[in-house]
Amino acid sequence: MPAPNCPYLGLRADRESFVAYPSLMNCCYHTRNTAFINLDYQEGTCLGEAYVRCPVYQSQKRGRLPRVAAAPDYVRQHFLSYWSMRILLSLMAILAAGALFWVLSSSTLLQSWFSKPDPGDIVAYTAPTYEYSIPTVEGYMPGAGGTGENLTPQPTETFLWNTDGTPNIADTEKAMANHPRLKIYQVKNGDNLDALATKFQTTPRAIIDINYTIRIPLFVDEVIIVPEGITDIRSFPRFEARKIQQRSPVAEICRINACSIEQFQQYNESIIITVDEVPTVLEGIWVLIPRPNAANQP
């Protein structure tokens, strides 16, 4: 006696189970695509002994359900409708964005965003120049009769300073040391120790020793102290040249520069004035800052 229902009947997710009443959850496992069966065919054939007359059951190989038995594949239809809707929404979003861009592209605002700037509106920027070059051995110019330690290479390049507060050639050419025999001098192109010693009747060693800090070889625009007509500077302290930026009392200048008030007044006597009974130096004046009589600093 045949079974009460078709043995090929089952659920899509469970081959061994099926719903015992007509349902679109039931499908046929003897077809190539595990097809869903329409409700009328299930009731009249699959769920009763009449399944033995089903051509699919009678076939030795997996085939297709007859047209009258096949039900719509709801799983596949749901999948297709799901992605079709999303593709459609994506295309609509792209079209909307394109339409918005086209509308905005005709506006003055968007044109100003994408248009090239007028060359007349561009302001050229010129960066400040800071050039520093080390003298080369080709500029070596020994002085006549000097010893090896007094020979100085001649600078072949200059400093170009564009910032405020740097030494000015015109200022330092006019500025003389306040001590009658000490001069504040700004190095010019072509200067070297031997040439300066000859010009001011001193020695290269004296120029080196009178300066608290000095760079060897000399560089253009460097401010140094030159002992005019002096070759023995043992009785002098060493000095630094400073330009007073604003009117200041002598005591304040000495406090800031950590130097002796007595020595400062001794070597800067001619430029010190009295303001309200206070010794003062005016702004823009070059002064000599006395330092301890120690070895020169690099």
Side-chain angles (χ1 to χ4, degrees), residues 186-286:
Q186 189 170 33
V187 178
K188 302 177 181 62
N189 192 24
D191 285 341
N192 59 44
L193 282 179
D194 293 317
L196 292 178
T198 300
K199 178 179 179 180
F200 292 103
Q201 300 177 355
T202 183
T203 65
R205 186 77 265 162
I207 295 175
I208 293 175
D209 290 344
I210 201 71
N211 285 274
Y212 186 65
T213 57
I214 187 171
R215 291 182 295 183
I216 304 299
L218 301 177
F219 285 84
V220 172
D221 293 338
E222 183 177 4
V223 177
I224 63 173
I225 293 90
V226 179
E228 184 175 18
I230 304 173
T231 57
D232 185 359
I233 56 93
R234 286 178 293 179
S235 61
F236 292 91
R238 288 171 166 80
F239 296 98
E240 288 183 276
R242 296 285 174 84
K243 187 176 183 180
I244 303 303
Q245 300 299 320
Q246 61 182 11
R247 187 174 69 179
S248 305
V250 168
E252 182 67 10
I253 296 174
C254 295
R255 185 190 67 81
I256 293 174
N257 292 280
C259 65
S260 165
I261 294 178
E262 292 75 15
Q263 281 192 330
F264 181 89
Q265 291 177 328
Q266 177 184 353
Y267 293 104
N268 297 280
E269 181 179 2
S270 63
I271 53 87
I272 296 175
I273 64 173
T274 301
V275 178
D276 296 332
E277 300 182 357
V278 177
T280 303
V281 179
L282 297 177
E283 65 273 7
I285 300 297
W286 285 84

Side-chain angles (χ1 to χ4, degrees), residues 124-129:
Y125 170 75
T126 303
T129 303

Side-chain angles (χ1 to χ4, degrees), residues 77-224:
Q77 284 185 357
H78 177 71
F79 176 86
L80 292 177
S81 63
Y82 176 88
W83 286 108
S84 297
M85 181 60 67
R86 276 150 182 75
I87 292 172
L88 180 60
L89 291 176
S90 299
L91 290 176
M92 290 176 63
I94 292 173
L95 291 175
L100 180 62
F101 180 86
W102 181 83
V103 170
L104 292 178
S105 63
S106 60
S107 68
T108 305
L109 177 61
L110 199 63
Q111 287 177 357
S112 64
W113 291 349
F114 292 96
S115 61
K116 294 183 179 179
D118 186 357
D121 296 336
I122 300 175
V123 178
Y125 170 75
T126 303
T129 303
Y130 300 91
E131 297 183 4
Y132 176 83
S133 301
I134 299 296
T136 61
V137 294
E138 288 78 4
Y140 186 75
M141 296 181 61
T147 61
E149 67 175 356
N150 295 330
L151 302 183
T152 306
Q154 177 185 1
T156 58
E157 298 291 342
T158 66
F159 289 112
L160 301 178
W161 294 343
N162 295 332
T163 55
D164 295 335
T166 55
N168 180 278
I169 294 177
D171 288 344
T172 50
E173 283 180 342
K174 296 176 182 178
M176 295 184 62
N178 305 301
H179 188 279
R181 303 179 70 186
L182 299 178
K183 291 186 178 296
I184 297 176
Y185 181 81
Q186 189 170 33
V187 178
K188 302 177 181 62
N189 192 24
D191 285 341
N192 59 44
L193 282 179
D194 293 317
L196 292 178
T198 300
K199 178 179 179 180
F200 292 103
Q201 300 177 355
T202 183
T203 65
R205 186 77 265 162
I207 295 175
I208 293 175
D209 290 344
I210 201 71
N211 285 274
Y212 186 65
T213 57
I214 187 171
R215 291 182 295 183
I216 304 299
L218 301 177
F219 285 84
V220 172
D221 293 338
E222 183 177 4
V223 177
I224 63 173

Side-chain angles (χ1 to χ4, degrees), residues 28 30-35 55-56 59-66:
C28 180
H30 200 54
T31 55
R32 296 174 185 173
N33 58 347
T34 314
V56 176
S59 174
Q60 298 297 321
K61 298 179 180 180
R62 290 187 176 186
R64 291 182 175 274
L65 280 177

